[in-house]
Amino acid sequence: MSRDLSSPRPKSAHSVDDLQPGAKAPVAGPSLWVPVLDRSPGSIGGAVESDRGSDVKSTTTTTGSASSTRPLLKNKRHSSSRSVAGVSDVSDLPSHPESSPDPNDGDGDNDDQYPEGGFRAWLVVFGSWLALFASLGLMNVMATFDTYLSARHLVDHEPGSVGLMVSLYTVLSFMLGIYVGPIFDKYGPRWPIMGGSVCLFAALIVVSISTNYWHLLVAFAVFSGLGSALLFTPSIAVIGHYFKARRGLATGVATTAGSVSAVVFPYIVQELFVKVGWPWTMRALALICLAVAVGANFLIRARLPPAKHAKVSPSVHVFATKGFGLTLGAVFLLQFASFIPLAFLSAYVLAKGFSQEFSFDVVTVLNASSAFGRVAGGWLGDLIGVYNANVAFAVVSAIACFAVWLPVEEGRAGMVGFAVLFGFTNGSGVSLVPVTVGRLCGTREYGRFYGTVYTVVSLGVLLAIPIAGKLVLGNRGSYDGLIILTGVAYLASAVVFMVAKMSVVGWRARPWVVF
């Protein structure tokens, strides 16, 4: 039975009613101090739990001078608070007006108990791994497709025509997340994952029989891009239903699919091109993607019910969230910087006089070290805070550019060393960015926030490669300007990540506060 909060209580010298926002109140029973904070945007509400031995508990939430009571289920655990720089743990900060719903409408998740592991949760992570293997695997063979199509099927077309097709596919894979994310929030992952599986398989089958450029453009760029987007965003967002404290580690494990596919897919494609040709290579690739996507369809399941008031259309209200705009800018700079070495490292190795085989080896080393970076980066983000981890890895990436990549001339060890260091730090960013976005919103609107971020990030992908290419041409084949641009973008990203963090936790907090 819940405690009657309307009955008068004897006041002590430290009555809760007499406390100012931010003061500490004693709680009956064990000697615990519970913060009672103002519920204005950017602050944290305190809760006083009562009647621990009863069947139904009640919670009094202090909101300024008013208080409200709501029942809690028996034995339901709540996320604990850690004292950080004079405030509670900032992980439960309210975001924007839309992301602070009434606790009784089914959309709030501040009091939800996350499994943080278990057989079901890790099966979902494996399902996400399979979906990412299919979507990111196709993205990782874009350069191989560009080379093959330019030399065989599209010889009569402009040199940039194949590049346009590849760029359009990459941009759509990220940009369509602004629609796929809200669809995930509204309906869950089943329909997007199923639709993406069918779309990706059908697109590759059509590509295998295409003979004209516009056939390839529509099937390969548009429909494959749509399929990848439908697989990519939900497979990342659904991990947030099962993990909160360990979300970085779980996301890192799932995103290793990108590193594995970056090694496996190019090798399969290059071997099949020689043995069976383009049509059957595309059909084999379609069957591989279908097989792993079917596994993803069986394993990926949402744990939380969809948000009742979610809309499937994009919303500009996400930009009203404290720290979102700055975080978006930091992620934009981070992805802008990371795509330049990914696109130009192989060409850089060739320009230094090394063989094409060695250039492939360098890229393979980069992808292998990226797998370790994704897991380690997610784990470290859970430990020291995702914003802090982003700052640290961005600074290390800048140091790798200025101190390792820039001085390298013709040394094999230096190039391999940079590939290892950059692959590790770049992989950490892949696993940290989704978790970083998740710190600014509730779980039931995670898809909308994440999709919006990567829609803007896709513009960075679209701009990074042409700008870097112009720098190489303008410097008469020298890559020094490209390397300097990459290092500066990483440093700028680190600065903006730090400013974004302080804008959320408060400027009076210590810079190293865990967030």
Side-chain angles (χ1 to χ4, degrees):
M1 179 178 297
S2 62
R3 178 181 298 174
D4 185 5
L5 296 177
S6 62
S7 60
R9 295 176 300 159
K11 290 190 176 183
S12 65
H14 300 286
S15 176
V16 174
D17 296 335
D18 298 332
L19 292 174
Q20 297 297 323
K24 295 179 178 179
V27 181
S31 180
L32 297 175
W33 291 98
V34 179
V36 182
L37 302 176
D38 185 32
R39 197 60 171 171
S40 58
S43 64
I44 310 163
V48 181
E49 198 171 301
S50 62
D51 285 351
R52 294 183 180 274
S54 61
D55 292 337
V56 180
K57 300 178 183 177
S58 65
T59 297
T60 303
T61 303
T62 303
T63 309
S65 60
S67 62
S68 60
T69 304
R70 56 189 174 89
L72 300 176
L73 297 177
K74 182 179 179 181
N75 297 329
K76 184 175 180 65
R77 294 186 297 177
H78 296 269
S79 56
S80 60
S81 296
R82 290 181 296 174
S83 178
V84 178
V87 298
S88 297
D89 188 0
V90 290
S91 62
D92 291 326
L93 282 169
S95 49
H96 57 83
E98 286 190 351
S99 65
S100 300
D102 184 82
N104 296 316
D105 69 358
D107 289 346
D109 60 81
N110 286 339
D111 292 327
D112 192 64
Q113 179 183 345
Y114 290 77
E116 302 293 354
F119 185 69
R120 174 72 262 181
W122 286 110
L123 276 182
V124 170
V125 172
F126 180 57
S128 297
W129 191 96
L130 293 174
L132 292 173
F133 184 85
S135 59
L136 297 180
L138 188 58
M139 191 176 297
N140 286 323
V141 293
M142 291 296 104
T144 307
F145 287 168
D146 191 348
T147 303
Y148 187 88
L149 289 172
S150 299
R152 302 287 183 90
H153 287 271
L154 301 175
V155 181
D156 298 332
H157 289 75
E158 297 270 340
S161 59
V162 180
L164 173 64
M165 185 171 61
V166 172
S167 298
L168 182 60
Y169 163 82
T170 305
V171 170
L172 288 178
S173 298
F174 291 128
M175 184 173 288
L176 292 177
I178 197 170
Y179 293 99
V180 178
I183 290 173
F184 166 81
D185 292 335
K186 181 70 174 178
Y187 300 107
R190 174 173 296 180
W191 295 112
I193 295 293
M194 185 181 298
S197 304
V198 173
C199 192
L200 195 61
F201 174 76
L204 290 175
I205 292 297
V206 173
V207 166
S208 70
I209 61 175
S210 297
T211 55
N212 296 328
Y213 174 74
W214 73 270
H215 294 161
L216 289 171
L217 183 66
V218 173
F220 187 75
V222 178
F223 284 100
S224 293
L226 174 61
S228 293
L230 288 169
L231 289 171
F232 180 72
T233 301
S235 61
I236 291 290
V238 74
I239 296 174
H241 283 210
Y242 294 86
F243 296 87
K244 187 172 185 179
R246 304 175 68 193
R247 189 177 293 177
L249 175 62
T251 305
V253 171
T255 55
T256 58
S259 300
V260 176
S261 63
V263 176
V264 174
F265 270 64
Y267 176 79
I268 292 176
V269 168
Q270 290 169 13
E271 289 293 319
L272 290 178
F273 277 157
V274 176
K275 295 179 180 179
V276 298
W278 170 268
W280 280 105
T281 298
M282 291 298 99
R283 291 163 195 157
L285 206 59
L287 290 173
I288 293 172
C289 290
L290 179 64
V292 295
V294 166
N297 278 272
F298 280 105
L299 295 177
I300 293 179
R301 290 289 183 271
R303 185 182 64 89
L304 302 176
K308 293 181 180 179
H309 306 296
K311 298 179 180 179
V312 296
S313 59
S315 174
V316 297
H317 292 292
V318 296
F319 291 93
T321 305
K322 181 180 290 187
F324 180 78
L326 288 168
T327 302
L328 180 60
V331 174
F332 179 91
L333 290 168
L334 183 71
Q335 297 299 326
F336 178 91
S338 65
F339 265 87
I340 295 176
L342 290 174
F344 287 92
L345 184 59
S346 181
Y348 173 82
V349 173
L350 292 174
K352 291 298 180 180
F354 292 99
S355 65
Q356 189 172 19
E357 183 181 6
F358 180 68
S359 70
F360 288 152
D361 292 340
V362 170
V363 174
T364 301
V365 169
L366 186 152
N367 290 320
S369 60
S370 176
F372 292 99
R374 295 177 193 216
V375 177
W379 172 81
L380 187 63
D382 293 336
L383 185 66
I384 68 173
V386 286
Y387 277 83
N388 294 337
N390 274 310
V391 171
F393 283 115
V395 170
V396 173
S397 296
I399 293 173
C401 291
F402 292 127
V404 182
W405 194 12
L406 188 60
V408 168
E409 290 297 333
E410 297 180 0
R412 286 176 176 263
M415 292 183 182
V416 173
F418 172 75
V420 171
L421 189 57
F422 170 76
F424 187 86
T425 56
N426 178 68
S428 68
V430 174
S431 60
L432 285 172
V433 167
V435 189
T436 304
V437 175
R439 298 302 298 269
L440 302 176
C441 63
T443 303
R444 290 178 179 86
E445 54 185 0
Y446 187 22
R448 179 182 300 276
F449 274 69
Y450 183 68
T452 302
V453 166
Y454 266 91
T455 296
V456 178
V457 165
S458 66
L459 301 177
V461 176
L462 190 64
L463 293 173
I465 297 176
I467 291 175
K470 291 289 185 183
L471 284 175
V472 175
L473 292 175
N475 291 330
R476 298 180 180 180
S478 173
Y479 283 78
D480 289 353
L482 178 150
I483 297 171
I484 293 172
L485 173 65
T486 305
V488 170
Y490 271 122
L491 288 177
S493 175
V495 172
V496 180
F497 266 123
M498 179 59 70
V499 174
K501 184 189 82 168
M502 300 307 294
S503 72
V504 176
V505 303
W507 294 99
R508 294 184 179 181
R510 296 177 180 179
W512 54 86
V513 60
V514 175
F515 182 65

